Amino acid sequence: MDIIYLHGIAVNCAIGVDAWEKQVTRRLVLDIDMRIDVKQAAARDSFDAVLNYSEVFARIKEMSRGSSCSLIETMAENTAQMLLGEFKIPWVRVRVRKPGALGGVSDVGVVIERSAPAGKKTARKT
């Protein structure tokens, strides 16, 4: 399988454990890797046969605006499940970074990998 990726997606959302953190927006950076077969799209040189990554980007931005998570782990899980479900991809890796969360560290974050349940239809056409 092949991978389509979107790296460095900057989103602003209220996220954190403490009450004060939920009152301000923080910048998070997401890196998304999605496994999908691009052979058909490449052979046809046709946009209608490929995953539309601008739709993926727009959906991630929309989802982050309405986020009310306490943990970046929850943000990562919610993003992975949305991508697997809405875009019918078989596998996704989601990295959520929280730059500046700790003094003396450039950024902290979490990386998760998730797969669609066995037998679930994949390879969405856009």
Side-chain angles (χ1 to χ4, degrees):
M1 279 291 177
D2 310 304
I3 292 178
I4 291 179
Y5 68 90
L6 287 83
H7 289 179
I9 302 169
V11 299
N12 292 307
C13 59
I15 191 164
V17 176
D18 297 321
W20 69 267
E21 290 180 293
K22 297 196 185 233
Q23 303 302 314
V24 297
T25 58
R26 296 283 307 248
R27 181 174 173 267
L28 301 178
V29 180
L30 285 76
D31 297 329
I32 309 294
D33 297 320
M34 299 166 288
R35 183 169 293 148
I36 188 163
D37 187 350
V38 300
K39 191 183 329 179
Q40 180 183 25
R44 291 174 42 200
D45 195 24
S46 175
F47 183 74
D48 67 342
V50 73
L51 176 68
N52 184 334
Y53 48 82
S54 22
E55 286 182 10
V56 172
F57 174 72
R59 187 63 182 95
I60 290 169
K61 294 289 269 189
E62 176 189 338
M63 190 176 138
S64 68
R65 278 192 296 274
S67 175
S68 60
C69 305
S70 295
L71 305 173
I72 60 173
E73 291 84 353
T74 306
M75 177 77 157
E77 185 66 35
N78 291 348
T79 301
Q81 294 306 319
M82 179 274 294
L83 292 169
L84 292 170
E86 292 182 23
F87 292 92
K88 310 293 188 232
I89 55 177
W91 173 90
V92 66
R93 176 185 300 125
V94 177
R95 178 179 177 188
V96 179
R97 298 182 282 146
K98 196 173 181 182
L102 294 175
V105 177
S106 64
D107 79 57
V108 298
V110 63
V111 178
I112 66 169
E113 295 182 12
R114 298 291 182 265
S115 298
K120 188 160 186 165
K121 195 173 185 179
T122 61
R124 171 186 181 261
K125 281 189 177 180
T126 58

